[in-house]
Amino acid sequence: MSSSTTSEKGSESGQATFRFRCIGCGSITPSAAQDFRCSQCGNLLEITDSSWNSHNPTALKSLWRERRTLNETLDLSGVWRFRELLPAPASEEHVVTLREGNTPLYELPQSSRLTGVPRLFAKHQGMNPTGSFKDAGMTVAATFARQAGYQWVACASTGNTSASMAAYAARGGMRSLVLVPEGKISWSKLSQALDYGALTCQLRTDFDGCLRLLQELVRHAPVYQLNSINPFRLEGQKTLAFELLEQLEWQAPDHIIVPGGNLGNSSAIGKALIEMLDLGLISNLPKLSVIQAEGANALVRTLREAGGKNLVSVQAETRATAIRIGNPASWEKAVKVLQATGGACEQVSELEIAQAKAEIGMEGIGCEPASAVTLAGLKKLLRRGFVKPEETVVLVLTGNLLKDPDFTMEFHRGDLFRGTPDERESARLNPFRHPPVVLDATLDAVIKTLEQAEKSNPTPSNA
Ligand code: F0G
């Protein structure tokens, strides 16, 4: 068992052309240590490949589109369909795929009306095989883990990474070790890891504590870490942007808005946008904005208080448990992306998150709380004048509604803010609540309830 990943490892043909580049000092190496940090300056590594720039953009667009009609394993994946701009595995046989990607781009008619932004879309990554955007990155990282011969993969997680990693490890014939904060992740995500066969450790700490422990563990045990500092993950997550642009007929939107936690996803999308611009796939760069929960606002504070130069970590607290992260690992990558694209970084309150989640639910698609920060953030960015109503805006919904049923049930039953400082103010969210009604099993009781509902809300909201 080796403790590094190289572009040559497992490349039977020796043809791999990708390299690892330090985002700090820019040095380039063919191999990466287990912590995916530069051996010279300690900054994070990213993957680069000189062959990516040799493609003809028009030919790529038609090749990718044509693959949507084909039935080959790689073409059926909404990630590997874009393989010309991904690191190439030594052989197709190494690829671990669950047909990830190919996620819908929805219009949001009600939110459009509400915000006054007619061209408002949601790219719903919650429609991936394990219900979150993590699958797009995991298929690539699990493929390279398998190719390198690792038997164990591991991650620290707020729930979605662990669910995804466990699934891809199981598909790829690897064992998986999950470190999650005890009592701080949704049981729905936890149950996925169990069902996919992970060795699941609930640690008495928070996500940041789990990640610290994992960094130590990889130095002592032959496990391959699949957190988002693993640059293969980010390569897979780039495809969200490729697919989005394809869905928009390669007309770049003005804004893409993502939730920010450990900041891998914003880094990946930003990398993809810059690569697409360099290659001529798009002719202008969308602004990528990152939204955090007020209680987990490390990036917001890093930019406001330290000019993006050093990390201001926080003790994270939010009911959007997916982004309950105080010490984001990829903060430097995210700062670079915000600067390169001219995006904004904003924070939203727990009440704003709950309202936005209910509004996205009323669109008939739903999402988990962490994803709803995007709509809440958009409203703030509109108020600030950073986003103009006539612009095209895409919200990235990162997780499925079913990922956090407790949040949804507590919200609709009116319990979400009980005993919190927001309790009194949360009354203004009552119009968004749709609690279940317990009735006798009689026709009369149901008809009366129907009539009452009709009286209190005579017109459906999309009329
Ligand atoms: N949205 C959801 C649903 C997430 O699960 C996460 C992160 C994020 C947004 C933030 O993305 O970390 O790339 O900035 N979840 C990780 C996990 C940390 O372990 O599942 P990020």
Side-chain angles (χ1 to χ4, degrees), residues 133-134 156-161 207 259-265 322-323 325 368 370-371 398-399:
F133 71 102
K134 307 287 181 180
S157 182
T158 56
N160 281 326
T161 299
F207 168 82
N262 215 18
L263 301 174
N265 205 28
I323 50 172
I325 294 173
E368 69 166 286
S371 310
T398 44

Side-chain angles (χ1 to χ4, degrees), residues 252-300:
D254 299 290
H255 295 272
I256 300 176
I257 302 182
V258 284
N262 215 18
L263 301 174
N265 205 28
S266 34
S267 308
I269 297 170
K271 186 172 190 282
L273 295 175
I274 292 163
E275 285 172 5
M276 279 192 280
L277 186 72
D278 286 349
L279 188 52
L281 282 165
I282 52 175
S283 49
N284 52 306
L285 205 54
K287 292 187 176 72
L288 184 73
S289 293
V290 178
I291 314 296
Q292 298 196 297
E294 272 176 8
N297 60 353
L299 184 65
V300 175

Side-chain angles (χ1 to χ4, degrees), residues 20-23 27 29 31-46 211 215 219 225 229-231 327-332:
F20 297 89
R21 177 173 57 204
C22 171
I23 63 148
S27 65
T29 56
S31 63
Q34 262 282 43
D35 62 358
F36 301 110
R37 290 193 175 271
C38 174
S39 57
Q40 291 172 35
C41 75
N43 221 316
L44 285 175
L45 299 177
E46 64 180 9
L211 191 56
Q215 306 299 326
R219 289 200 291 272
Q225 76 156 307
I229 60 166
N230 180 319
N327 200 17
S330 294
W331 68 273
E332 281 151 310

